[in-house]
Amino acid sequence: MKKKKIIIISVIAVALLAICAHFFLKASPADSFQLSTAKLSTSKISTTVTATGTVNPIISVEVGTQVSGIISKLYVDYNSVVKKGQILAELDKTTLQAALRSKELELKSAKTEYEYQKKNFGRAKDLHGKNLISDTDYETAKYTYEKAEATYKKNMSDLVTVRTNLSYATIYSPIDGVVLSRAVEEGQTVAASFSTPTLFTIAKDLTKMRVIAKVDEADIGSVKQGQRVTFTVDAFPNDVFDGQVTQVRLEATTTSNVVTYQVVVNAPNPDLKLKPGLTANITIFTLEKNGVSVLPNKALNFKPDTEAMIHNGFTVSENAQINKNLGKDEKVVWQQDGKTIRNKRIKTGETDGINTEILSGVTNSDEIITEMKTISMGEAPQTKSGETSPFMPKRPGSDNSKGPKK
């Protein structure tokens, strides 16, 4: 009986050991690795900044009036093509012409008085020199003459002002261009008492437009004058327009705690598709390099699992000096040569976030490791077709987890 007990205990112990071994071995199978590598390739590196802005003419002039009055005639309308010096409108001149005639009469009267007092002062001066009149009479004659002279000169100046105001009643175009807006109608009264009212807005040349874009403060540091720009407008969604950064303005604008800066982009418009006021979605190319040698950024971030790789038969040849005193633009990459991997120091240039320009340290034949994938032995590959939802109904007989039916 005792012997039978010992046999049973021994069988149970062996079974337990076998079960433990099975689970431990299944949970920690020997792992193998698959290395992904890349060689130097020639590519283009570019980085961009996006923003929105408004299309405007490069030069637009607001035409106003410096005198008050009633608009008597309009000679142009919206979209009219005008030349410099062309008459755009006229104000009623009745009041201004009457003021001119009044000033002309006042000037004539002042001139007559001035000429009389001038002669009278000349006679008084001669008589005073011969002591034939008193000092008081002489000073009175001089005072009257100088007063008449001042009045005459003032009337001359007033006449110039009235004539100028009369000329302002005719509104001329200051530039060649196109009338974008007209703010008045015939018969309307305009008042220039406090500020110059705007009558017309004229764009100089609609074949040369510009976009005033608002660039976020986080991106403005990389935007420079001369950079290439492309943009689209909703009016022509299939067209891509080209431009160039011509100015980065220093004044900041804060709206809802968002700080932006204005960037001016020239926008050639030879076919006149772009219209003032359109919203432009712009892309500024802050970095563009063509035909440079690059490696994927994954290669620069790769760090090998030395212990695991040695366990799987790789030789890791690591030069500790390479990892020391790395410069600002220096990185360490790992090269694969059969079953041997070794570290290399390289010098890098620009990056677009996906690839990085390589300046030195790597040849075209070097296999640079970008990734190490772990593959567990006995692990079935996961494929998309093998994935099923536990909530989806199954075909009869497809669920074998419960064993055969009895």
Side-chain angles (χ1 to χ4, degrees):
M1 186 70 180
K2 188 174 182 181
K3 185 176 181 182
K4 188 177 180 180
K5 253 184 178 183
I6 294 173
I7 292 172
I8 292 172
I9 292 172
S10 300
V11 170
I12 292 173
V14 171
L16 288 172
L17 288 172
I19 291 171
C20 291
H22 170 74
F23 279 105
F24 278 109
L25 290 174
K26 187 175 181 180
S28 304
D31 293 333
S32 60
F33 301 96
Q34 179 182 350
L35 296 179
S36 299
T37 62
K39 291 184 178 181
L40 280 180
S41 61
T42 301
S43 182
K44 173 183 177 180
I45 289 182
S46 64
T47 57
T48 60
V49 168
T50 58
T52 59
T54 305
V55 177
N56 288 304
I58 293 179
I59 297 177
S60 62
V61 178
E62 293 183 345
V63 181
T65 174
Q66 290 183 276
V67 294
S68 302
I70 298 173
I71 301 293
S72 61
K73 291 182 181 180
L74 288 174
Y75 297 100
V76 295
D77 201 350
Y78 291 92
N79 302 337
S80 295
V81 178
V82 297
K83 297 292 184 181
K84 182 177 181 180
Q86 179 178 334
I87 297 177
L88 305 178
E90 285 184 343
L91 275 69
D92 182 68
K93 300 178 182 178
T94 304
T95 303
L96 294 173
Q97 288 172 341
L100 176 62
R101 287 192 295 270
S102 176
K103 283 298 178 184
E104 286 175 342
L105 292 174
E106 288 180 14
L107 177 63
K108 185 177 180 180
S109 175
K111 182 180 180 182
T112 302
E113 178 68 15
Y114 164 68
E115 290 176 346
Y116 169 76
Q117 294 297 340
K118 183 179 181 181
K119 292 177 182 178
N120 186 53
F121 173 66
R123 288 192 295 268
K125 186 177 182 180
D126 291 340
L127 293 173
H128 183 264
K130 297 176 182 178
N131 294 320
L132 297 177
I133 60 173
S134 65
D135 292 343
T136 300
D137 292 338
Y138 169 75
E139 290 174 355
T140 301
K142 182 180 180 182
Y143 166 76
T144 306
Y145 161 68
E146 290 178 347
K147 184 177 179 181
E149 182 183 26
T151 302
Y152 174 58
K153 290 181 178 180
K154 180 181 181 299
N155 277 274
M156 288 179 65
S157 178
D158 289 345
L159 182 62
V160 172
T161 301
V162 172
R163 281 177 176 166
T164 303
N165 287 340
L166 180 60
S167 69
Y168 286 156
T170 303
I171 312 299
Y172 299 93
S173 174
I175 58 172
D176 296 343
V178 178
V179 177
L180 296 183
S181 68
R182 174 175 60 81
V184 291
E185 299 287 347
E186 287 189 1
Q188 182 175 338
T189 301
V190 292
S193 301
F194 302 102
S195 61
T196 302
T198 298
L199 307 183
F200 307 94
T201 300
I202 300 176
K204 183 174 184 180
D205 186 0
L206 293 182
T207 63
K208 298 176 182 178
M209 306 288 277
R210 66 180 180 179
V211 178
I212 308 296
K214 295 181 179 180
V215 178
D216 190 86
E217 61 176 326
D219 299 322
I220 195 65
S222 58
V223 178
K224 301 289 187 297
Q225 184 176 339
Q227 291 172 340
R228 184 171 72 91
V229 176
T230 61
F231 64 93
T232 60
V233 294
D234 292 340
F236 303 99
N238 297 323
D239 293 340
V240 178
F241 300 90
D242 295 318
Q244 188 179 54
V245 175
T246 58
Q247 187 181 50
V248 180
R249 293 178 177 173
L250 300 178
E251 182 183 11
T253 302
T254 304
T255 306
S256 300
N257 294 325
V258 177
V259 179
T260 58
Y261 291 83
Q262 288 187 337
V263 174
V264 182
V265 177
N266 76 329
N269 188 32
D271 50 6
L272 300 180
K273 283 187 175 181
L274 297 175
K275 294 174 172 52
L278 289 177
T279 298
N281 301 302
I282 73 168
T283 300
I284 304 172
F285 290 84
T286 56
L287 168 66
E288 283 190 292
K289 280 193 172 184
N290 296 315
V292 296
S293 297
V294 299
L295 279 176
N297 282 4
K298 293 191 296 183
L300 279 59
N301 298 323
F302 173 76
K303 289 183 174 56
D305 186 341
T306 304
E307 183 179 349
M309 297 193 78
I310 293 174
H311 178 72
N312 282 269
F314 283 91
T315 300
V316 180
S317 178
E318 181 175 7
N319 186 344
Q321 295 300 319
I322 289 179
N323 299 329
K324 293 182 178 180
N325 302 321
L326 290 176
K328 178 182 177 182
D329 298 324
E330 292 182 325
K331 299 286 184 181
V332 175
V333 296
W334 290 84
Q335 175 192 355
Q336 181 185 10
D337 185 6
K339 280 288 189 177
T340 301
I341 67 168
R342 55 177 58 88
N343 57 340
K344 303 188 72 171
R345 180 183 295 197
I346 62 171
K347 189 172 182 59
T348 62
E350 303 288 352
T351 181
D352 60 5
I354 299 174
N355 296 313
T356 296
E357 178 185 12
I358 306 302
L359 301 178
S360 62
V362 178
T363 65
N364 292 333
S365 60
D366 290 343
E367 296 278 355
I368 304 302
I369 302 173
T370 60
E371 192 176 6
M372 183 173 69
K373 295 181 180 179
T374 303
I375 304 175
S376 298
M377 293 181 62
E379 181 180 298
Q382 299 294 322
T383 60
K384 188 174 181 180
S385 60
E387 295 178 357
T388 59
S389 171
F391 303 103
M392 291 292 290
K394 299 182 180 180
R395 291 179 299 145
S398 64
D399 188 357
N400 298 323
S401 61
K402 297 179 181 179
K405 293 182 180 180
K406 294 182 180 178

